[in-house]
Amino acid sequence: MTLGTKIDAPKTRGPDDSRGYRIFRIVNTVVLLGVVVVTLYPFLTIVARSLSNEAYIIAGKVTIVPRGFNLTAYKLVMSDAMFWTNYRNTVVYTVVATLISIVLTTCYAYVLSKPQLKGRPFLIGVALFTMFFSGGLIPNYVLVTSLGMKNTIWAVVIPNAISVFNLLVMKAFFESLPNELEEAAAVDGLNTYGILLRIVLPLSKAIIATMVLFYAVAFWNSWFTAFLYIDKQDLLPVTVYLRNLIAGATSAESSGAADADKVQAAATLQAVTIVLTTLPILAVYPFVQRYFVRGVMLGAVKG
Amino acid sequence: MTSTLRPPPPAPPRSPQAAHSPAPRSPRHHRSWRQALRRDWQLYSLAILPLLFFLVFRYLPMVGNIIAFRRFKPGGSIFGEYWVGLRYFRMFLTDPTFWEVFTNTLVLGTLTLLFCFPLPIVLALLLNEVRARRFKRFVQSVSYLPHFLSIVIVAAMVMQLTSIEGTANQLVSLFGGDPVAFLQQPEWFRTIYVSSEVWQTVGWGTILYLAALTTIDEDLYEAARIDGAGRLRQTWHVTLPGIRPTMVTLLILNIGSFLAVGFEKILLLYNPLTYPTADVVSTYLFRMGFQSSNFSYAAAIGLFEAVIGLILVLSANVISRRTVGTSLW
């Protein structure tokens, strides 16, 4: 299949205007609207809280409409130098990690897509097996630490460089490319590297875009690796900044009413940080969503 | 090819891993390897870095599990100091906390499977009945959205919604109840965990089913209608069997990750007050390893978990191949 395949051609089952079915369709619409409301409500609440006066939040009066509108919390978060340092780290980690991942994944997927290659089943098996069995947290930690990657960007960008799922998606795409082009290029004297760079990659812009999206979102969202391997505050990504913020708030909350002010201030700050961290994803979401959807479906084609 | 989702092909006689085992090699075989290398060396060279990656960051840690059988000292050899046999395995098998977290894992895993597996199917079937394409697209776009959020953001949202002044408590006081500190109470943890999991995954989970639905042969509905089947019976006899391979494949995958319940999310959401229901094998392992520095003990727990996971996915795969003829490989 190609990336341009229509994915949601409606399945018409012929007209059915029985009374029961008409009622079902009304109920169905209501249910689906309910799904929309339930999905969006948390987002709207957080935005409302980020824009509200803390006093109204304490009173439990903020729903999805901001009360006591003010931007104090935004100013507060944005004036925190560490927030911006961590934000910048996230951008850097995401870019570097995505770059490495794309190169490694493309190379391996291309090799795997050559059916005549000797040892191909072995190469596929090497990757597939890791989907079902992994070394586990502790040996990974010991390894990364003893490689001296702790407190460096490499701990974040290297150990998760290849996602086997993405690899299979890309392999499926390469397999769908017409073989004749590559053969013709080989006859014209291009070697393997030349074929990959000058014939295959230009034909694969769509899949590469999809992979960039997959990897970038995963790295943008990740927190645990950084949390585990990075102790220096100014090397952390913004997700760990947010995590530390919520961890601090919960400990204040359980320590009792004395800290109520602090807790509430934290609630607004959290809301603001959530909004600022989510914003880039929300901004690109409408444009990239269809690529994701196609990518997932490509992944469903057996590798 | 027109379909976006094929039912998986019949299982090959040998799994990909079978290629590992050295086949008896004739001299001719040997020569052809040399030929392959001479002809395709450039192709093989592209695989070197990725292979190195798998070797170092995926297979070396598997070997590193050896510290589960050895005494490990932080800062010492990564393979531990000396053999202690099954000491650490005996330790956790007799550890009451281990059985508590194991039970919690099973409960949370079962609940997640019970809700997060069927609900996307239901939602996909409902979406499939929508005729207005724009409305369908809109619902889909909105329902995919939570999938793109960081788990930290989801956890932070959950905390805000369930806080004393949050949405959940606004509802409680609307019905005249007293505010509940949801995240401080063990009896609420499962509800909160599973519902946030559903919120985040249900929409995204529909994608594959919607794709599978478009591949169902139109004539089957036609035939069913001629046989007098109403909408409901068409759904039951045509639609559901049509997406069965997808369902089975996803079920196997879900079963395979059954024990790996949302480690990161639990780590973010739980606290000592909710340990009785929230603490799972992986979070216990995390605390043992990183807060108590019992690396060997934690590695033993991790190895146990990974082996059970592997056994689960292998058996689910075998069972499904024998019963419904669908399998992952």
Side-chain angles (χ1 to χ4, degrees), chain A residues 1 5 7-14 16 21 24-25 28-29 31-33 35-36 38-43 45-46 49 57-58 60-63 104 107-108 110-111 114 117-119 121-123 125-130 132-135 137-143 146-147 149 158-162 164 191-193 196 217 221 223-224 227-228 239 242-243 246 250 253-254 264 267 270-271 274 277-278 281-282 285 289 292-293 296-297 300-302, chain B residues 1-6 8-9 16-17 19-20 29 32-33 36 40-47 49-51 53-54 56-62 64-65 67 72 78 123 126-131 133 135-139 141-142 144-146 148-153 156-157 159-161 163 165-167 170 199 204 207-208 211 213-214 216 218 221 225 231 234-235 239 263-264 267-268 285-286 289-290 295 298-299 303 306-307 310 313 327-329:
Chain A
M1 64 166 269
T5 311
I7 51 154
D8 54 357
K11 204 84 213 168
T12 51
R13 288 206 223 161
D16 183 348
Y21 188 61
F24 164 79
R25 281 186 33 217
N28 190 17
T29 309
V31 169
L32 291 178
L33 280 175
V35 170
V36 169
V38 170
T39 311
L40 286 183
Y41 195 92
F43 287 96
T45 311
I46 302 297
R49 286 174 151 232
I57 300 181
I58 301 174
K61 291 219 167 106
V62 179
T63 52
L104 290 186
C107 287
Y108 207 54
Y110 184 65
V111 175
K114 294 280 158 260
L117 192 72
K118 205 166 166 52
F122 169 78
L123 295 177
V126 164
L128 269 188
F129 184 67
T130 63
F132 303 108
F133 189 77
S134 73
L137 185 58
I138 303 293
N140 268 306
Y141 180 83
V142 173
L143 173 74
S146 54
L147 287 176
M149 288 157 82
I158 302 269
N160 294 313
I162 298 181
V164 177
N191 62 18
T192 306
Y193 308 128
L196 178 60
V217 167
N221 281 334
W223 75 284
F224 186 69
F227 171 72
L228 202 58
T239 42
L242 177 59
R243 182 264 161 197
I246 60 179
T250 36
E253 200 160 17
S254 49
Q264 286 318 322
Q270 270 181 43
I274 297 172
T277 315
T278 322
I281 293 202
L282 292 188
Y285 177 71
Q289 192 215 123
F292 278 112
V293 175
V296 168
M297 290 197 303
V301 179
K302 284 277 296 190
Chain B
M1 145 185 177
T2 50
S3 76
T4 48
L5 188 104
R6 289 181 294 174
Q17 282 86 44
H20 275 276
H29 202 101
S32 71
W33 252 118
D40 292 327
W41 67 270
Q42 288 178 327
L43 217 45
Y44 287 116
S45 73
L46 289 174
L49 278 180
L51 271 176
F53 165 82
F54 281 115
V56 174
F57 291 100
R58 292 293 179 269
Y59 287 91
L60 207 57
M62 289 181 200
N65 269 314
I67 66 165
F72 172 81
I78 63 163
L123 185 59
L126 293 182
L127 279 168
N128 195 44
E129 296 292 335
V130 174
R131 285 187 195 168
R133 287 188 64 174
F135 178 62
K136 185 179 170 184
R137 279 249 176 103
F138 171 68
V139 177
S141 299
V142 168
Y144 297 161
L145 186 55
F148 294 94
L149 299 184
S150 168
I151 201 82
V152 182
I153 291 172
M157 280 184 167
M159 286 177 166
Q160 296 256 325
L161 292 171
S163 64
E165 73 290 338
T167 306
Q170 287 168 3
W199 179 76
W204 192 248
I207 292 184
L208 292 180
L213 285 169
T214 61
I216 297 175
E218 201 78 36
Y221 288 112
R225 264 213 319 285
R231 280 277 158 175
Q234 288 177 35
T235 303
T239 312
F263 165 64
E264 294 190 12
L267 201 62
L268 291 163
L285 180 164
F286 173 79
F290 298 109
F295 276 61
L303 183 57
V307 169
L310 184 65
V313 73
S327 68
L328 292 181
W329 55 80

Side-chain angles (χ1 to χ4, degrees), chain A residues 132, chain B residues 255-257 259 304-314:
Chain A
F132 303 108
Chain B
I255 289 172
S257 56
L259 280 188
F304 176 77
E305 200 186 8
V307 169
I308 291 194
L310 184 65
I311 292 172
L312 277 175
V313 73
L314 291 180

Side-chain angles (χ1 to χ4, degrees), chain B residues 216-251:
Chain B
I216 297 175
D217 192 349
E218 201 78 36
D219 298 343
L220 290 175
Y221 288 112
E222 187 70 39
R225 264 213 319 285
I226 290 166
D227 289 345
R231 280 277 158 175
L232 205 59
R233 301 199 56 163
Q234 288 177 35
T235 303
W236 186 254
H237 292 291
V238 181
T239 312
L240 282 177
I243 58 174
R244 197 174 66 178
T246 312
M247 280 163 64
V248 174
T249 307
L250 290 178
L251 187 61

Side-chain angles (χ1 to χ4, degrees), chain A:
Chain A
M1 64 166 269
T2 63
L3 278 179
T5 311
K6 270 275 178 285
I7 51 154
D8 54 357
K11 204 84 213 168
T12 51
R13 288 206 223 161
D16 183 348
D17 289 319
S18 70
R19 186 147 161 264
Y21 188 61
R22 281 209 305 272
I23 294 172
F24 164 79
R25 281 186 33 217
I26 294 166
V27 174
N28 190 17
T29 309
V30 172
V31 169
L32 291 178
L33 280 175
V35 170
V36 169
V37 170
V38 170
T39 311
L40 286 183
Y41 195 92
F43 287 96
L44 300 174
T45 311
I46 302 297
V47 174
R49 286 174 151 232
S50 73
L51 294 166
S52 291
N53 186 320
E54 280 147 36
Y56 288 100
I57 300 181
I58 301 174
K61 291 219 167 106
V62 179
T63 52
I64 58 170
V65 185
R67 299 283 296 270
F69 181 89
N70 72 82
L71 294 169
T72 325
Y74 278 89
K75 280 178 201 145
L76 214 60
V77 173
M78 289 168 114
S79 67
D80 181 0
M82 197 49 78
F83 173 79
W84 289 117
T85 307
N86 291 172
Y87 212 95
R88 200 200 57 217
N89 289 342
T90 298
V91 175
V92 173
Y93 295 169
T94 303
V95 171
V96 175
T98 307
L99 217 70
I100 295 176
S101 296
I102 291 292
V103 172
L104 290 186
T105 310
T106 308
C107 287
Y108 207 54
Y110 184 65
V111 175
L112 295 188
S113 73
K114 294 280 158 260
Q116 278 82 37
L117 192 72
K118 205 166 166 52
R120 179 174 173 267
F122 169 78
L123 295 177
I124 295 177
V126 164
L128 269 188
F129 184 67
T130 63
M131 276 182 116
F132 303 108
F133 189 77
S134 73
L137 185 58
I138 303 293
N140 268 306
Y141 180 83
V142 173
L143 173 74
V144 171
T145 314
S146 54
L147 287 176
M149 288 157 82
K150 233 185 148 189
N151 278 319
T152 65
I153 176 177
W154 309 116
V156 180
V157 302
I158 302 269
N160 294 313
I162 298 181
S163 139
V164 177
F165 177 84
N166 290 354
L167 182 72
L168 295 179
V169 172
M170 216 167 178
K171 165 177 167 283
F173 181 88
F174 284 145
E175 278 169 353
S176 74
L177 289 177
N179 209 19
E180 292 76 13
L181 276 172
E182 293 179 50
E183 280 164 10
V187 171
D188 288 347
L190 271 180
N191 62 18
T192 306
Y193 308 128
I195 293 172
L196 178 60
L197 286 174
R198 292 170 56 185
I199 309 290
V200 176
L201 289 188
L203 290 171
S204 311
K205 280 181 196 133
I207 193 72
I208 291 172
T210 310
M211 290 295 110
V212 168
L213 290 173
F214 274 163
Y215 278 119
V217 167
F219 287 116
W220 182 273
N221 281 334
S222 78
W223 75 284
F224 186 69
T225 19
F227 171 72
L228 202 58
Y229 297 119
I230 294 177
D231 311 321
K232 292 191 181 126
Q233 169 102 68
D234 56 350
L235 289 178
L236 291 174
V238 74
T239 42
V240 182
Y241 176 95
L242 177 59
R243 182 264 161 197
N244 292 341
L245 201 63
I246 60 179
T250 36
S251 67
E253 200 160 17
S254 49
S255 72
D259 290 330
D261 286 354
K262 222 190 275 175
V263 175
Q264 286 318 322
T268 326
L269 291 184
Q270 270 181 43
V272 171
T273 315
I274 297 172
V275 171
L276 291 177
T277 315
T278 322
L279 219 53
I281 293 202
L282 292 188
V284 294
Y285 177 71
F287 306 101
V288 301
Q289 192 215 123
R290 58 202 183 101
Y291 291 104
F292 278 112
V293 175
R294 282 175 195 161
V296 168
M297 290 197 303
L298 264 178
V301 179
K302 284 277 296 190

